[in-house]
Amino acid sequence: MAKANRVYKKKAPVAKNDRVEADIIDLTYQGMGVAKVEGFPLFVANALPGEKVLLTVTKVLKNYGFARIQEIVKVSPDRVELQDKLALTTGIAPMANLSYPAQLAWKQRQVRELFKKAQLRVAVAPTLGMAEPTHYRNKAQVPAQMVNGRLETGFYRRGSHKLIPTDSFYIQDENVDEAIRVTRDVLQELGVSAYDEETGKGLVRHVMARYGKATGQLMVVLVTAKEDLPEKDAIVEGLRARLPKLVSLVQNVNNKKTNVIMGQENHLLWGQEEIEDQLLGKAYLIGPNSFYQVNPETTAKLYNLAKDLADLKPTDTVIDAYCGIGTIALTVADKVKKVLGVEVVEPAIEDAKKNAKLNGIWNADFIVADAPEQMHRWAEEGKTADVVFVDPPRKGLTQDFIEAVGVMRPERLVYVSCNPATLARDVKDLLAQGYEVDGRVQPVDQFPQTMHVEAVVKLVKK
């Protein structure tokens, strides 16, 4: 896929305000079309591969530039005309102008190209998608800002901190959209201020909503810059009256100058401290700070796939590295003898233990530890496992972790990845530890309308 950091060694053949006609040849990871003028890349919003466009150059840097469309001379057959242009303007859904089958094909090609770049010959299956690839997110964290003297919620225009107020976020569950909209209205009516990150004045930084699709339970979180919350009782009364699915209303205090959304201090304003949801027959308690997958439909596909690939047996001992609140561990626990979950985030392990108890699962132990360090510790102690599941952050596995796998020598390793680039890199390193890819790499569209793609692959000991 196209990148902005390729070096262009000649003087740029275009200047700002030039008008040029060009073919769109690719998409970047940000969803922008790529045109080339004498080899010089121009990145173009709302342009699709296969299109011929008339462009105006808007910015020229040393190695690349930006342009905007004046006219689409030849339209891609995969283009979708959007009624809601904000999906593209804000970057909420940067692929919303591309037909869904074309999105799935692009993601399969992305995974294939990354493995090819890593010089790995693997088969990549067609991307698993959704029947309804909009309004799927069960969680939203939406910024608040004062616009024309009143609190508004929305999303920032791409590349800026200019808020665009909106009522609909295209990829969020409609119950989440409603919760954000109603909360904004109540705060407006009560004259509550939004936080200004430049002056440090004002109160509400973000409005967060979480919705349990299986249970119909709704949580609203007001992220505030200070603990004092004026009109607290009126806020509670207004939201309870207008959001019948509301079961939890929380104030989260984040008084730091930071771009981190949530603070660690929570105050229950009304109702339950957590909501409950269900995934693959297991119940999960979800608090304001809990990590929980935002697309339950494809998460079920993802975890079912991982479970099936693992070829689990009743005598197996399983390690779930980077286990979070225990979703993979608890999904497989009733199929095996023992599950060990490892996660460095202590509140996540507390959630995992609560979820195990909630589901009556007693053969799962959860440990607060850095996964690579714990794997090394177990390897040094001579402990092993039949199966290791890994679901690491975007940076992928560390060399320490991969070396520990090489020492421990589990029969099967199932890698669930949110970043195919680090997946390809790590698979190459695991092959050097005596493993081989078993079957195809399976992309899964966890985030339709965006550039992100998950992928699952099974490796077995040679």
Side-chain angles (χ1 to χ4, degrees):
M1 301 299 106
K3 291 187 177 180
N5 59 0
R6 289 179 182 156
V7 175
Y8 184 83
K9 296 185 178 177
K10 304 175 186 176
K11 182 185 176 185
V14 293
K16 186 177 179 181
N17 296 325
D18 280 357
R19 290 169 71 94
V20 294
E21 188 175 89
D23 295 318
I24 303 299
I25 58 172
D26 204 350
L27 285 174
T28 71
Y29 292 126
Q30 292 78 36
M32 301 187 82
V34 182
K36 287 199 173 178
V37 178
E38 296 178 27
F40 184 78
L42 292 172
F43 300 111
V44 187
N46 193 22
L48 299 177
E51 294 187 328
K52 185 180 287 290
V53 290
L54 184 62
L55 301 172
T56 296
V57 178
T58 57
K59 189 174 186 178
V60 177
L61 301 173
K62 184 177 179 182
N63 297 321
Y64 58 94
F66 295 89
R68 67 171 176 267
I69 294 175
Q70 294 300 322
E71 180 186 348
I72 302 177
V73 178
K74 177 188 171 188
V75 179
S76 166
D78 294 321
R79 176 173 286 279
V80 174
E81 285 304 321
L82 293 172
Q83 290 183 336
D84 182 4
K85 301 291 186 185
L86 284 180
L88 293 177
T89 309
T90 61
I92 297 168
M95 290 187 97
N97 58 349
L98 187 63
S99 73
Y100 193 55
Q103 290 184 35
L104 298 179
W106 186 88
K107 293 182 181 188
Q108 180 191 23
R109 190 169 69 254
Q110 179 186 355
V111 176
R112 187 187 293 128
E113 289 295 320
L114 287 165
F115 273 86
K116 184 178 175 182
K117 187 178 177 183
Q119 298 179 320
L120 294 173
R121 295 184 65 183
V122 299
V124 179
T127 309
L128 285 176
M130 300 182 70
E132 296 294 335
T134 59
H135 299 294
Y136 58 85
R137 287 185 62 100
N138 59 15
K139 173 189 172 184
Q141 299 174 124
V142 178
Q145 206 173 85
M146 297 302 286
V147 178
N148 297 325
R150 66 178 192 168
L151 182 147
E152 293 282 3
T153 53
F155 264 115
Y156 298 125
R157 183 180 293 276
R158 274 210 237 194
S160 79
H161 262 217
K162 177 178 172 58
L163 191 88
I164 301 176
T166 181
D167 283 344
S168 173
F169 295 88
Y170 193 72
I171 57 173
Q172 291 171 188
D173 186 287
E174 288 161 347
N175 291 281
V176 172
D177 274 354
E178 182 190 26
I180 300 294
R181 185 170 59 248
V182 167
T183 302
R184 176 206 62 196
D185 291 348
V186 168
L187 295 176
Q188 281 180 354
E189 290 162 12
L190 295 171
V192 177
S193 64
Y195 176 73
D196 186 318
E197 58 187 16
E198 290 185 6
T199 65
K201 295 180 180 178
L203 182 63
V204 178
R205 301 174 74 129
H206 284 78
V207 177
M208 185 179 91
R210 309 191 80 144
Y211 181 64
K213 289 200 174 193
T215 60
Q217 294 185 4
L218 176 68
M219 169 186 283
V220 170
V221 181
L222 302 177
V223 183
T224 62
K226 52 191 175 186
E227 188 173 338
D228 183 39
L229 180 61
E231 305 287 355
K232 185 188 302 183
D233 292 342
I235 292 170
V236 172
E237 184 181 344
L239 293 183
R240 285 185 65 188
R242 299 190 209 180
L243 293 173
K245 295 181 181 179
L246 185 70
V247 298
S248 176
L249 179 57
V250 177
Q251 178 191 9
N252 175 272
V253 181
N254 182 0
N255 55 16
K256 294 182 171 59
K257 281 210 164 190
T258 174
N259 58 4
V260 175
I261 293 174
M262 301 281 286
Q264 294 303 310
E265 182 184 337
N266 291 310
H267 301 287
L268 183 65
L269 301 179
W270 175 82
Q272 306 166 189
E273 292 183 347
E274 299 156 315
I275 62 170
E276 185 177 311
D277 199 17
Q278 293 175 1
L279 180 65
L280 293 173
K282 302 292 192 302
Y284 294 92
L285 295 173
I286 307 157
N289 300 83
S290 297
F291 173 80
Y292 186 68
Q293 294 279 10
V294 299
N295 187 341
E297 181 182 325
T298 51
T299 298
K301 292 179 184 178
L302 194 66
Y303 290 173
N304 260 334
L305 177 64
K307 181 176 68 173
D308 292 345
L309 287 175
D311 190 22
L312 299 170
K313 300 174 178 61
T315 55
D316 281 344
T317 296
V318 171
I319 290 173
D320 178 11
Y322 308 95
C323 68
I325 66 171
T327 40
I328 292 178
L330 300 182
T331 295
V332 304
D334 54 2
K335 303 289 184 186
V336 300
K337 179 182 176 183
K338 183 77 176 175
V339 181
L340 299 168
V342 185
E343 171 63 62
V344 74
V345 180
E346 189 170 353
I349 289 294
E350 291 170 5
D351 285 345
K353 289 177 177 177
K354 280 193 293 188
N355 290 326
K357 186 176 179 182
L358 179 67
N359 289 284
I361 292 172
W362 311 110
N363 65 333
D365 289 339
F366 294 98
I367 302 163
V368 179
D370 177 67
E373 289 179 9
Q374 188 61 42
M375 288 288 285
H376 258 295
R377 200 171 297 126
W378 280 330
E380 288 168 1
E381 293 168 359
K383 291 182 179 177
T384 188
D386 302 286
V387 180
V388 172
F389 289 95
V390 292
D391 187 1
R394 288 189 60 79
K395 63 184 180 182
L397 303 177
T398 65
Q399 280 300 313
D400 281 353
F401 189 101
I402 290 167
E403 288 167 12
V405 169
V407 173
M408 190 178 281
R409 304 286 287 163
E411 289 288 335
R412 289 147 279 156
L413 185 145
V414 179
Y415 194 140
V416 179
S417 170
C418 61
N419 183 354
T422 52
L423 172 64
R425 178 201 69 195
D426 293 345
V427 166
K428 191 169 187 177
D429 289 342
L430 287 162
L431 298 187
Q433 293 289 340
Y435 284 81
E436 59 186 0
V437 173
D438 183 8
R440 299 188 295 179
V441 179
Q442 177 63 68
V444 180
D445 193 20
Q446 185 81 330
F447 305 99
Q449 317 304 328
T450 79
M451 315 306 289
H452 299 293
V453 59
E454 306 260 323
V456 187
V457 64
K458 175 185 180 182
L459 296 104
V460 294
K461 187 168 67 175
K462 282 185 184 175

